Amino acid sequence: MKYGLLTYNYTINLGNEIQSIAARRFLPKIDYYIEQHKIQDFKEESDVKTIMNAWYLNCPEAWPPSRNIDPLLVSMHFNSIKFTKDAILSAESREYFKEYGPVGCRDVHTQEFLNENGIDAYYTGCLTLTLDSAGKYNHKDESNDYILINSDYSDKLLSYLTGKTDKKIYVINQDFAPSFKKAWPGQIPKSLYNHTSYFDSEEKLFLAENMLKIYENASCVITDRLHCALPSIALKTPVLLFNTRPKQDRFDGLSNLFTVTNFKEYKNDFSIFDVNDPPENSDEYMSIRKELIKQCKGFTGHINESCYDIRTYNELLDKNVLLFSKNSIDTREYIVDVLNRFEKYENKIKKQEKIIAEKEKIIEELKKSNSPMGKIKKLFKS
């Protein structure tokens, strides 16, 4: 049996890789990395088992997926943009759902959308709720107690919490290192994002693993990012959710798993989530988790002990050094390129300004002269 894992070479949000890490836990091996935005083009082999948990469709041309993939349609989210709806409700798509369904939906909104349009669907919740602690491979260090913030309100939260706790406070972002070389207009199809990651699939999975370890070892997490909040719950880190981001339908059926607030409410009532003694998460997610584990294990016949790849300290060090080095080199090259472009265009502007000044001088001379042009100008002025 062959196995595939969805990857996201056209995005910079490591939340996508976190979803893939959740799926990877149920794979005995990875034979193919399948680019989610080109999933219709996969033609390597037939019957490649692939867990299809993901956000769809930023690229409607990629739907429906290749029939060479044997899919488990689980923890799927379809956004509500018109071109997504058109792709999902096409005759070809309906036939795909009929053959491989029913569709397991990450949120209630997606389930209702599909059901209302005659597509058999049910609610599963998000596969990231099946992530598991590294356990003996990654003990929490109680002497290094810190609060983690991953939110659009990071600056305000940092300022607010600084006077209320002695714990360290770290701010993090899941949008990681766009490729400056690929980000110029015209470099990638318009149907895809206007920026793309500098790192390849395996490197981004490694970076996402590191991020999960940061979530796991925090004393608590405050976030408005779904794929920060859900993994943190699975890794038993207390979470405060700021449910203030656009596209609220993504949270339908999931918000009840968190302590939910907004910055105004929290500023007026610190007891909502006392970071010095954060409340434990609800255990409501456990029924979702157990059913998803049963379903995915039944599909592949496998489950790994931990969601993390096991590496020695030296392996971790070598990998991190390589990635930091790669990013710094690319950043330096990008800055040099921008400076060269700036100098080039600045010289062009100076040349054009000189030409304009010369033309304006000629025009003024013509206005003052007794030439036919000068007489015409004087006539119009009178």
Side-chain angles (χ1 to χ4, degrees):
M1 182 63 65
K2 300 291 184 179
Y3 299 89
L5 184 70
L6 295 183
T7 57
Y8 303 85
N9 290 323
Y10 285 96
T11 68
I12 62 173
N13 180 5
L14 289 181
N16 294 311
E17 276 66 38
I18 289 173
Q19 292 188 84
S20 289
I21 288 172
R24 186 183 67 186
R25 188 182 179 202
F26 299 96
L27 304 181
K29 58 178 179 171
I30 301 172
D31 297 293
Y32 299 101
Y33 287 106
I34 302 174
E35 172 57 45
Q36 196 241 18
H37 290 81
K38 298 178 180 178
I39 200 168
Q40 84 288 4
D41 292 333
F42 181 78
K43 295 181 175 63
E44 296 295 330
E45 291 194 41
S46 296
D47 301 325
V48 176
K49 282 185 173 290
T50 307
I51 298 173
M52 301 283 281
N53 62 310
W55 166 316
Y56 301 87
L57 296 162
N58 285 303
C59 184
E61 293 85 354
W63 191 265
S66 165
R67 297 302 179 98
N68 287 22
I69 296 171
D70 176 15
L72 175 62
L73 306 184
V74 68
S75 297
M76 304 178 80
H77 168 78
F78 295 104
N79 67 35
S80 53
I81 300 173
K82 184 181 184 302
F83 65 67
T84 296
K85 291 181 178 179
D86 291 344
I88 293 302
L89 301 180
S90 69
E92 188 179 7
S93 177
R94 289 177 180 276
E95 186 62 30
Y96 177 84
F97 285 133
K98 186 176 180 180
E99 181 175 351
Y100 295 108
V103 184
C105 303
R106 189 178 76 188
D107 52 272
V108 173
H109 174 82
T110 297
Q111 177 196 356
E112 291 177 345
F113 162 65
L114 294 177
N115 286 159
E116 288 168 1
N117 287 280
I119 297 169
D120 192 8
Y122 63 104
Y123 173 74
T124 65
C126 185
L127 196 62
T128 57
L129 290 172
T130 67
L131 291 169
D132 214 346
S133 169
K136 62 183 179 182
Y137 307 113
N138 190 34
H139 284 296
K140 288 194 175 185
D141 183 357
E142 301 298 342
S143 65
N144 188 25
D145 212 8
Y146 63 89
I147 300 162
L148 186 74
I149 300 173
N150 182 351
S151 170
D152 288 345
Y153 292 86
S154 293
D155 291 341
K156 292 180 178 179
L157 281 164
L158 183 61
S159 177
Y160 172 62
L161 292 174
T162 298
K164 294 186 175 295
T165 183
D166 293 328
K167 293 182 181 182
K168 296 176 182 178
I169 305 173
Y170 296 132
V171 173
I172 199 169
N173 195 315
Q174 288 180 184
D175 294 338
F176 203 92
S179 171
F180 301 115
K181 292 179 180 177
K182 299 179 185 177
W184 297 105
Q187 290 292 311
I188 60 176
K190 291 181 180 180
S191 57
L192 303 179
Y193 291 114
N194 61 357
H195 52 203
T196 180
S197 172
Y198 178 57
F199 300 102
D200 64 31
S201 300
E202 292 190 47
E203 290 169 337
K204 288 170 70 181
L205 287 167
F206 175 79
L207 291 167
E209 275 191 36
N210 286 343
M211 186 165 286
L212 286 173
K213 290 174 183 175
I214 293 171
Y215 295 161
E216 179 179 357
N217 287 289
S219 65
C220 63
V221 166
I222 303 177
T223 186
D224 52 16
R225 304 298 292 262
L226 192 62
H227 287 110
C228 170
L230 292 170
S232 295
I233 282 185
L235 297 170
K236 303 188 185 307
T237 302
V239 178
L240 175 63
L241 177 68
F242 276 34
N243 195 356
T244 54
R245 294 180 68 82
K247 299 190 181 297
Q248 292 293 304
D249 52 23
R250 297 170 56 233
F251 292 86
D252 288 350
L254 297 169
S255 295
N256 59 304
L257 304 178
F258 309 99
T259 300
V260 181
T261 190
N262 57 53
F263 181 72
K264 184 178 180 181
E265 289 177 351
Y266 190 36
K267 190 175 181 181
N268 292 331
D269 186 3
F270 180 65
S271 67
I272 291 174
F273 193 84
D274 184 347
V275 294
N276 297 301
D277 185 22
E280 292 186 4
N281 300 317
S282 164
D283 62 0
E284 286 189 39
Y285 80 98
M286 287 301 297
S287 59
I288 298 173
R289 173 189 171 89
K290 288 177 180 177
E291 186 58 35
L292 280 169
I293 289 175
K294 178 182 177 182
Q295 193 171 5
C296 292
K297 187 178 178 181
F299 178 66
T300 65
H302 182 82
I303 185 170
N304 294 305
E305 181 180 358
S306 168
C307 63
Y308 300 110
D309 273 346
I310 309 305
R311 295 182 174 90
T312 66
Y313 175 79
N314 286 336
E315 288 172 333
L316 287 170
L317 181 63
D318 290 345
K319 189 76 171 177
N320 276 308
V321 168
L322 176 65
L323 295 185
F324 280 121
S325 174
K326 180 178 179 179
N327 189 46
S328 63
I329 290 170
D330 185 58
T331 302
R332 184 168 64 250
E333 290 177 351
Y334 169 71
I335 292 171
V336 170
D337 186 46
V338 169
L339 290 174
N340 288 337
R341 286 169 183 258
F342 177 79
E343 183 178 2
K344 177 182 176 182
Y345 290 125
E346 190 177 49
N347 290 335
K348 282 186 176 182
I349 290 170
K350 286 180 180 178
K351 288 180 181 179
Q352 293 300 322
E353 288 176 340
K354 185 177 180 180
I355 293 171
I356 290 170
E358 291 173 351
K359 299 297 183 184
E360 288 177 341
K361 184 178 179 181
I362 293 171
I363 291 171
E364 288 301 317
E365 290 175 353
L366 284 171
K367 287 179 181 179
K368 296 175 182 178
S369 71
N370 289 320
S371 66
M373 178 63 73
K375 291 177 181 180
I376 291 173
K377 292 285 186 181
K378 291 176 182 177
L379 179 63
F380 275 104
K381 283 187 176 181
S382 62

